[in-house]
Amino acid sequence: MNLNFINWFMQRRKEERERDNRYTSVMRALVWRYVSAKHRKTEESPVTEDDINEVKGDISAMRYEILEVLERNGMDVSSAERKEKSNIFNFNKK
């Protein structure tokens, strides 16, 4: 083989490795920055009891809306309406 071709090929491989290393470094830095930003954001605004109560209220409202829709469409929801409110979100109950 021609010596120039071998030198060219070796130089090309070296440039590819350097480019791959730069790409990997940049991607690592971007991922690190993204994860760090998300982590800071969760630390700045943790979930509060009010947030949990809001979700519980939304779920309860959605339950009754779904029952209403089912009833309007001719389904028998009388047994569901007689059930007590679900206690699955009562964290203090043992």
Side-chain angles (χ1 to χ4, degrees), residues 11-68:
Q11 182 65 27
R12 179 98 171 149
R13 296 279 296 164
K14 182 180 176 184
E15 289 171 359
E16 287 175 1
R17 281 192 304 271
E18 289 173 355
R19 185 179 61 232
D20 290 344
N21 288 339
R22 268 194 317 272
Y23 173 82
T24 302
S25 297
V26 168
M27 290 306 293
R28 260 192 214 130
L30 288 173
V31 169
W32 177 259
R33 204 177 292 173
Y34 175 80
V35 170
S36 296
K38 286 293 184 183
H39 186 67
R40 273 192 307 278
K41 187 176 180 181
T42 58
E43 286 179 345
E44 291 171 359
S45 59
V47 176
T48 65
E49 188 174 348
D50 290 338
D51 296 332
I52 293 171
N53 289 333
E54 183 180 344
V55 170
K56 286 168 47 177
D58 290 346
I59 290 171
S60 180
M62 185 180 74
R63 176 181 181 268
Y64 289 107
E65 289 173 8
I66 289 173
L67 287 174
E68 184 180 319

Side-chain angles (χ1 to χ4, degrees), residues 71-86:
E71 188 175 32
R72 272 191 264 137
N73 287 302
M75 297 188 77
D76 180 21
V77 294
S78 59
S79 61
E81 290 176 353
R82 279 187 252 139
K83 288 183 180 177
E84 283 184 27
K85 250 186 170 177
S86 178

